[in-house]
Amino acid sequence: MTTTITGARVFDGERRTDHTAVRLADGRIAAVGDDTLRRPGDEHVDACGGTLLPGLIDAHVHLLPGAPRQALTFGVTTVLDMFSKPDTVREALARAAGPDAADVRSSSVGATAPGGHPSMMYAPFPCVTGPQDAERFVADRVAEGAAHLKVLYDDGTGGPMPMPSLAVPTIAALAEAAHRAGLVVAAHVSTARGAVDLLPTGVDVLAHVPFDALTGHQVAAIAAAGIAVVSTLSVADGFPGGALLGEPALVRRLGPAWCAVLERQRRRWRPPQLPDFAAARANARLLHEAGVPLLAGTDAPNPGTVHGASLHRELGHLVAAGLPPAAALTAATARPADVFGLADRGRIRPGLRADLVLVDGHPDEDITRTPHLAAVWKQGVRADLDAYTGSADEQAGLAALRAQTEKVVAAVRDRLGVEL
């Protein structure tokens, strides 16, 4: 089917353009221009002055069953998974081949030390003991369908308990092996020191903005290294002050089951020392001002976050941190496409995938308009934005999250000796 959208404001992934119409054919953007693009027989969509965006990209998620389908109903047409077990990845990749779920790019299992993060959530899984394991570990992930590599460098300094961590030389060996295999390398770090430690290793992306304050020297070093940083400011929504449930436009599409989950998560146990989210926001602003490519990512389904919905919160967090709305939109469209080598998406240009989001309002001027979705297309097929809520996919995702949560609670209770 050929579709022509007219009467739109077109944000091409980097800036608002003078175009007012986009024609879609055979899953691609056939043309960008004005109302003269419309042909007899086209399905016609009048945007009524709304803004047409490239399909949104969440640059940091962890898959649940059905999560790509949930993400699509919020305008997220691509998700970048940063650690999931192979069975979950295979299921997601199979579902992503259809028109009713977001596209998926995954690391499969991330590289971590035995007993290291995130063992409490995902163990058992293959681990890395030293540089000698790098080549085999990367080859096994490629065989599982990995499109990038995740490495974890975290000894627990930024959290409530110590844990084993990969050493810097091991991460360097993993990065070298991954690059030989053509993979981008994303590194989990939570502290400013950890971020700087990894700069010489060749990693391409830091998977989080650090939660403690970066110095000017550290910001300059990250910028000079030419790496990108995923924001994940939405992690704050799982702590006091988090407000996903206070977003009416998102709650309407969440459905009662996920709203109930978020309400329970509000009352969960939290460690006595909470992350410094003000420092994380300040770091995001400083990195942006230094020219570091920021990528919008949510770390869903961490407590307080939901696939798809939380990317709109992430955009709001980026603007609250000091980014202009247009720069925040770029962080969820053109920039992650560039960094992860997704040359067929992230922009509205002829020949690219017809992954598009129509928003009621001007989100390049007012970021709070992004949740007000009028329509979503994946490869030219218009998505049913109400299809996920109440579905078998939703039930499977909730069951998996419940089992995952129970596993983490039991591990924390055992390690810290606290009643949760």
Side-chain angles (χ1 to χ4, degrees), residues 58-62 80 82 150 188 207-208 230 232 296-300:
D58 190 333
H60 190 141
V61 307
H62 300 280
L80 305 182
M82 291 293 168
K150 175 78 173 292
H188 166 96
H208 302 277
V230 184
T232 64
T298 62
D299 211 1

Side-chain angles (χ1 to χ4, degrees), residues 334-351:
R335 198 65 65 239
D338 289 345
V339 170
F340 281 87
L342 305 176
D344 62 346
R345 69 197 73 189
R347 291 178 170 83
I348 297 180
R349 292 181 182 170

Side-chain angles (χ1 to χ4, degrees), residues 209 211 230-237 277 280-281 284 297-298 314 317-318 321:
V209 167
F211 290 114
V230 184
S231 50
T232 64
L233 299 177
S234 292
V235 173
D237 287 349
F277 296 111
R281 288 191 296 271
T298 62
E314 189 70 26
H317 285 305
L318 285 170

Side-chain angles (χ1 to χ4, degrees), residues 25 48 64 126 134 142 202 206 270 307 345 390 401 412 419:
C48 299
L64 291 173
V142 171
L206 299 181
R270 298 180 180 91
H307 286 280
R345 69 197 73 189
L401 180 64
V412 172
E419 192 59 39

Side-chain angles (χ1 to χ4, degrees), residues 112-120 123 125-128 154 161-165 415:
T112 194
H117 181 64
S119 294
M120 284 193 299
F125 53 78
C127 295
V128 176
D154 192 342
M161 65 187 75
M163 64 186 78
S165 177
R415 289 195 188 187

Side-chain angles (χ1 to χ4, degrees), residues 103-115:
D103 198 28
V104 175
R105 295 290 187 275
S106 177
S107 67
S108 191
V109 173
T112 194

